[in-house]
Amino acid sequence: MGTVTDYFGSLVFDDRVMKATLSAKVYASLKKTIDEGAKLDISVANAVAVAMKDWAVAHGATHYTHWFQPLTGITAEKHDSFISPSPDGGVIMEFSGKELIKGEPDASSFPSGGLRATFEARGYTAWDPTSYAFIKGKTLCIPTAFCSYGGEALDKKTPLLRSMEALNKQALRILRLFGNDKVKCVRTSVGPEQEYFLVTKEMYDQRPDLRFTGRTLFGAKPPKGQEMDDHYFGVIKPRVAAYMEELNDELWKLGILAKTEHNEVAPAQHELAPIYTTTNIATDHNQLTMEIMQKVAAKHGLVCLLHEKPFAGVNGSGKHNNWSISTDAGVNLLSPGETPYENAQFLLFLCAVIKAVDDYQDLLRISVATAGNDHRLGANEAPPAVVSIFLGDELNAVLEAIETDTPYSGAEKTQMKLGVNVLPKFNRDTTDRNRTSPFAFTGNKFEFRMLGSSNSIACANIMLNSAVAEALKIYADRLEAAEDFEASLHEMIKKTIKDHKHIIFNGNGYDDSWIKEATENRGLLNYRTTADCMPHLLDKKNVDMLTSHKVFSEAELKSRYEIMLENYCKTIIIEANTMVDMAKTQIAPAVAAYAKEVAKTATTKKALDSTIACSYETGLVKRLSALTDRIAIKADELENALLDLHTAEDIGTEANAIRDTILAKMGELRVPCDEAETLTAKTYWPMPTYADLLFGVK
Ligand code: ADP
Ligand code: MG
């Protein structure tokens, strides 16, 4: 296969291929579209389409697809072949600019939350030329956005691109105020760290809960879990190492900068991190990464679990969204500068993020809300559902000094006056990192840690970009009108610190006392579940902000609210149905069969010698019978609760009912089932246990 440098990006129609296969004129024109968003001429599109098709066919492709990210599910694609009949009875391979730019998948089954009227159920896909096309199997995949004929976004990509544009627009205004008129555009970059579990396919197949819901719905605590911390960064097992090696190769061929991998805290849990890149590309890459992770696992007889909480009592999986803002010249605006003036600019961007996170805590919480992620947030393993910011002691001290006009007592005592002093460099300190904060400053970027492992990173970045754009807009409006720029800058930074410092928390976010302090003394929001937070998507302040930056229309927000809650309800209903089914058809019969066996043993013993007490057998049979009775009762109760749901009138009410009754009943059914597991002979237990699953991959 050659060395990595030979095959890296070999399946991507990237800049190198474009340069080599397009005429200078076409290349220049396409570059202008990619870099500056210039409109694409159809003649250019035709030329690109032909070059793309020839390149793809030379790499074995026979089909093409417009690859997009619908509102649920991972990614969607519909394959069309390049073939077109030729008059001599053969075929030619064809692909036009029109087919490249726009597709019309008959995608009427994708959720639209009422956006597509039934008479026009179709939407169309539009090429995103900023994200390179690539080959998967025998298909050329063209990254696209997915919209309705009314122009409403039906996917996650469209609002993400709009949010990037909103932030670009406002950040440029700020940079101009600082005298920087060379910068052409400002972009956000993301490096998402992806956690996952690996289990063997053989065991996976024996667990209906894993197959239907992606997580275990039953399972007693194993004798050994993660308490020894011996898995974290431990030696990678041979089968896992072989998996990671092939995964890297596949990702590299697709131009994905997979960089680090290591074992995570829980047994069977691992992490993969790529090198960061522009947000929309990082989003496409993360979707592809999740897909390839599952494909490669299948080749190794493994299953990659991307669920946020596959095992109760064991750490779940998240995704860390490392996020920064930089200019087209590569200057990171979240990095303290070399000169006092650059520092002032850095502090302004920092303040914009602080203000944005505080003003839109609810949107950030909403952006990571799913039924799966609700199991993590606030479970002493992931950040709590309360959003707060970690800045670190040094930066915190700088902000305090500015707020109170007192000398900053860093290395040498200096009065912090913006535009005069040089800030200390905030090098990230790996020994003193706060891993419990939902939103941590790590030297030159922020790490948003609340995302669930299976989430698309689009949602979190849409909200983050938009909220920061809004803060920058407020600053730019004021500064553009200011008579004394420096004085007003200083005042604005001071005021932001004063008004928003309640969101800054440098302590232990896993501590219960923090939740009390955050909610009771600081008034921070604590939306524990998806059902709790989702209605706030439609709060006036959120709708106003998101529509004013043209990230979403009001209709799009309403549709997203519907879809997210529908998804929440469906997920939990499927879980509940699976539980009832497993309890009734697998667990209760297994426990009863074992009880019968134990009872038979007692009868046999008594027949031999009637004076044998058989107290072990008698006691066990009694306990097992009591448990099977309880399992039957609880399964019926859950089943009845599910039937009652169908009377709920709207999605919000249904979601609340599910949160309050179904989840509780699921918990009640699990208790006797898990207890029965600890009393039933292993040979009778109908499925692999936690110990089998967690320690099964050698
Ligand atoms: P950790 O200790 O959290 O694993 P790393 O240094 O490995 O931290 O970085 C985690 C992720 O952050 C990587 O994906 C990396 O590429 C990304 N990252 C680094 N710098 C930036 C930046 N300026 N903007 C966005 N992401 C970044
Ligand atoms: Mg991290």
Side-chain angles (χ1 to χ4, degrees):
M1 192 157 61
T3 62
V4 178
T5 46
D6 295 333
Y7 65 83
F8 184 85
S10 60
L11 297 178
V12 186
F13 192 76
D14 60 15
D15 200 54
R16 296 173 301 183
V17 187
M18 289 180 198
K19 251 198 203 121
T21 58
L22 299 172
S23 73
K25 205 171 135 229
V26 170
Y27 174 78
S29 161
L30 178 61
K31 258 320 243 181
K32 223 174 148 58
T33 301
I34 294 174
D35 295 341
E36 296 162 38
K39 211 170 149 43
L40 195 76
D41 193 80
I42 186 71
S43 66
V44 174
N46 278 328
V48 176
V50 169
M52 223 184 234
K53 183 253 314 174
D54 288 344
W55 167 83
V57 169
H59 283 78
T62 52
H63 288 67
Y64 71 92
T65 183
H66 276 201
W67 186 79
F68 62 99
Q69 298 172 32
L71 292 173
T72 54
I74 293 189
T75 48
E77 40 195 72
K78 172 196 164 221
H79 299 200
D80 278 304
S81 77
F82 290 122
I83 60 164
S84 179
S86 64
D88 60 2
V91 290
I92 50 165
M93 303 297 253
E94 256 186 0
F95 187 48
S96 69
K98 218 174 118 231
E99 289 166 309
L100 166 64
I101 292 178
K102 194 164 166 180
E104 299 187 24
D106 180 17
S108 46
S109 297
F110 287 112
S112 78
L115 276 183
R116 276 173 304 178
T118 34
F119 61 86
E120 189 40 289
R122 287 148 70 99
Y124 69 91
T125 49
W127 180 33
D128 168 14
T130 62
S131 183
Y132 297 136
F134 56 91
I135 296 172
K136 218 175 55 190
K138 287 183 171 298
T139 303
L140 168 69
C141 298
I142 301 156
T144 54
F146 180 37
C147 298
S148 76
Y149 273 95
E152 283 110 352
L154 296 173
D155 67 350
K156 297 177 184 169
K157 182 70 159 289
T158 309
L160 178 66
L161 293 171
R162 292 176 187 158
S163 75
M164 290 169 70
E165 182 44 37
L167 190 123
N168 172 50
K169 189 170 155 196
Q170 303 305 331
L172 281 178
R173 287 176 69 195
I174 299 284
L175 293 178
R176 300 284 182 258
L177 284 164
F178 278 87
N180 190 338
D181 42 36
K182 289 211 186 65
V183 175
K184 282 207 215 103
C185 80
V186 169
R187 289 197 177 118
T188 54
S189 309
V190 169
E193 299 163 68
Q194 175 75 48
E195 291 180 336
Y196 61 98
F197 279 86
L198 287 177
V199 297
T200 70
K201 173 85 167 64
E202 200 196 336
M203 291 186 201
Y204 172 89
D205 283 340
Q206 295 172 53
R207 301 247 356 177
D209 47 3
L210 283 181
R211 284 192 288 125
F212 298 140
T213 74
R215 73 178 180 109
T216 56
L217 300 167
F218 300 101
K221 202 173 169 313
K224 179 178 188 246
Q226 64 190 53
E227 45 285 280
M228 305 286 281
D229 276 337
D230 52 354
H231 188 254
Y232 192 48
F233 279 77
V235 177
I236 297 173
K237 292 180 185 137
R239 202 164 162 192
V240 176
Y243 165 78
M244 287 177 168
E245 193 179 315
E246 184 170 345
L247 177 60
N248 277 340
D249 279 341
E250 292 303 316
L251 294 175
W252 288 338
K253 282 190 223 159
L254 288 168
I256 297 174
L257 293 152
K259 170 89 173 157
T260 46
E261 56 208 14
H262 59 76
N263 287 350
E264 262 299 328
V265 176
Q269 193 186 29
H270 313 280
E271 184 191 284
L272 179 138
I275 296 173
Y276 67 99
T277 179
T278 311
T279 305
N280 61 322
I281 298 170
T283 305
D284 286 353
H285 281 181
N286 183 249
Q287 294 300 120
L288 257 181
T289 299
M290 292 193 282
E291 190 183 322
I292 306 286
M293 283 170 114
Q294 285 165 317
K295 271 203 185 128
V296 174
K299 283 174 75 178
H300 288 251
L302 301 169
V303 176
C304 172
L305 302 178
L306 288 170
H307 194 281
E308 283 74 19
K309 193 73 181 173
F311 305 98
V314 175
N315 267 14
S317 299
K319 188 133 66 185
H320 290 173
N321 189 81
N322 293 275
W323 176 92
S324 67
I325 321 173
S326 53
T327 69
D328 56 331
V331 176
N332 182 346
L333 299 171
L334 293 177
S335 193
E338 304 292 337
T339 67
Y341 216 58
E342 285 170 9
N343 289 162
Q345 186 183 295
F346 158 73
L347 283 170
L348 191 67
F349 278 98
L350 182 81
C351 282
V353 178
I354 295 172
K355 178 173 165 54
V357 172
D358 188 25
D359 287 342
Y360 298 99
Q361 297 163 45
D362 44 3
L363 288 182
L364 291 177
R365 171 67 184 91
I366 288 165
S367 76
V368 300
T370 58
N373 212 20
D374 284 354
H375 295 290
R376 285 175 69 240
L377 301 176
N380 293 323
E381 56 165 58
V386 178
V387 178
S388 67
I389 301 182
F390 168 85
L391 288 179
D393 293 341
E394 200 171 18
L395 192 48
N396 213 41
V398 170
L399 294 191
E400 250 165 41
I402 295 171
E403 187 200 348
T404 54
D405 282 322
T406 49
Y408 165 61
S409 49
E412 44 308 343
K413 288 208 179 232
T414 41
Q415 182 91 23
M416 285 309 299
K417 191 161 179 323
L418 293 175
V420 179
N421 304 114
V422 175
L423 286 180
K425 276 266 181 209
F426 309 106
N427 289 327
R428 66 184 297 178
D429 183 351
T430 39
T431 54
D432 179 35
R433 288 191 57 200
N434 186 324
R435 294 188 173 271
T436 64
S437 175
F439 204 92
F441 184 68
T442 53
N444 61 359
K445 63 183 191 295
F446 279 95
E447 189 169 356
F448 184 28
R449 300 200 178 108
M450 288 169 80
L451 287 76
S453 47
S454 68
N455 280 174
S456 158
I457 62 169
C459 307
N461 287 294
I462 291 168
M463 295 309 179
L464 191 51
N465 293 341
S466 307
V468 174
E470 172 68 10
L472 291 174
K473 175 182 179 290
I474 293 171
Y475 290 167
D477 286 349
R478 274 190 222 148
L479 289 173
E480 280 168 1
E483 274 167 25
D484 181 342
F485 176 75
E486 272 179 40
S488 99
L489 176 67
H490 191 92
E491 269 321 296
M492 241 169 50
I493 290 183
K494 253 178 85 166
K495 184 166 161 29
T496 302
I497 301 168
K498 227 183 218 92
D499 292 349
H500 298 285
K501 66 179 175 191
H502 72 157
I503 194 86
I504 298 169
F505 175 63
N506 293 307
N508 181 3
Y510 293 1
D511 207 329
D512 286 340
S513 65
W514 160 238
I515 303 303
K516 205 167 136 63
E517 150 86 13
T519 52
E520 289 173 17
N521 302 340
R522 300 194 186 203
L524 299 180
L525 301 173
N526 184 17
Y527 296 130
R528 303 206 38 152
T529 69
T530 301
D532 295 328
C533 67
M534 208 46 82
H536 297 284
L537 181 62
L538 302 179
D539 284 357
K540 186 172 181 315
K541 83 168 203 334
N542 294 335
V543 174
D544 286 351
M545 187 276 278
L546 291 165
T547 53
S548 77
H549 289 278
K550 302 198 166 42
V551 174
F552 287 111
S553 68
E554 194 165 350
E556 286 170 349
L557 284 170
K558 286 200 175 119
S559 83
R560 265 150 230 258
Y561 159 80
E562 294 268 334
I563 291 169
M564 299 313 285
L565 278 184
E566 251 169 37
N567 205 29
Y568 173 78
C569 295
K570 278 187 197 156
T571 304
I572 297 175
I573 290 172
I574 293 170
E575 289 179 349
N577 280 320
T578 307
M579 276 191 102
V580 170
D581 190 58
M582 287 173 76
K584 288 193 171 181
T585 66
Q586 289 190 284
I587 296 176
V591 181
Y594 179 55
K596 184 176 159 199
E597 169 77 33
V598 178
K600 238 170 47 195
T601 309
T603 323
T604 315
K605 280 186 178 176
K606 287 255 188 222
L608 275 176
D609 179 349
S610 63
T611 63
I612 299 178
C614 292
S615 49
Y616 163 71
E617 287 82 358
T618 320
L620 188 53
V621 170
K622 272 192 190 151
R623 284 181 74 186
L624 292 172
S625 303
L627 284 169
T628 38
D629 288 351
R630 197 148 180 80
I631 292 169
I633 292 168
K634 289 293 161 193
D636 281 342
E637 281 181 18
L638 179 54
E639 204 167 23
N640 289 332
L642 283 164
L643 289 174
D644 285 346
L645 274 183
H646 297 296
T647 50
E649 61 274 28
D650 67 281
I651 195 73
T653 317
E654 182 175 343
N656 289 343
I658 285 176
R659 174 198 60 200
D660 297 335
T661 59
I662 305 296
L663 284 176
K665 293 268 169 243
M666 285 165 66
E668 288 169 22
L669 172 57
R670 180 168 180 151
V671 174
C673 293
D674 287 358
E675 194 184 336
E677 185 190 324
T678 66
L679 295 174
T680 304
K682 201 161 162 45
T683 45
Y684 278 79
W685 199 249
M687 62 194 95
T689 63
Y690 269 27
D692 298 331
L693 289 163
L694 289 167
F695 298 95
V697 182
K698 299 283 168 2

